[in-house]
Amino acid sequence: MKKAICAVAAMSLAFGCFAKGSVKGSIINKTSGEPIDFASIQLVDSKTGQNLPIGTSSDADGSFTLNNIPDGNYLVRITNIGSVSQERPVNIKGGIADIGIIRLADDAK
């Protein structure tokens, strides 16, 4: 009986170490309020600044979701041609982190 309890506890701990979460949000133009489609959303390691192989682009309504993200601290980098890029810190703990609406300003360059 003790072995079975220990095995279940060890498996629960192991699965907890590999918890996965998601990040969702929406991107709009700061001036017009229109949704921005095809903006690039990239997950970045907050310690090293390196891009991770988790990314997507925004839908026609400006929404996006990054899935299967291991628990940890990250940056979400949002870029779009003709707009000023932004980054948002996010902490994943096995659930959905909603970073809300990101308002990208037009780049005057």
Side-chain angles (χ1 to χ4, degrees):
M1 183 70 170
K2 287 183 182 181
K3 286 183 181 181
I5 292 172
C6 288
V8 170
M11 287 176 55
S12 297
L13 181 61
F15 285 119
C17 292
F18 297 108
K20 303 250 181 180
S22 300
V23 175
K24 71 176 191 170
S26 185
I27 304 167
I28 64 171
N29 180 284
K30 185 176 182 176
T31 304
S32 70
E34 294 292 319
I36 298 177
D37 57 352
F38 301 110
S40 177
I41 298 92
Q42 182 69 46
L43 196 66
V44 178
D45 185 311
S46 64
K47 292 179 186 172
T48 66
Q50 296 289 331
N51 287 346
L52 298 173
I54 300 173
T56 192
S57 56
S58 57
D59 294 332
D61 64 355
S63 66
F64 68 89
T65 303
L66 297 170
N67 292 310
N68 297 317
I69 303 170
D71 286 356
N73 294 313
Y74 303 95
L75 294 174
V76 176
R77 183 175 293 147
I78 301 103
T79 58
N80 186 57
I81 295 174
S83 300
V84 177
S85 300
Q86 291 193 30
E87 292 182 345
R88 294 286 190 276
V90 65
N91 184 344
I92 303 298
K93 292 183 182 177
I96 297 174
D98 187 345
I99 62 173
I101 297 173
I102 308 299
R103 293 170 176 81
L104 292 184
D106 293 332
D107 192 350
K109 294 180 187 177

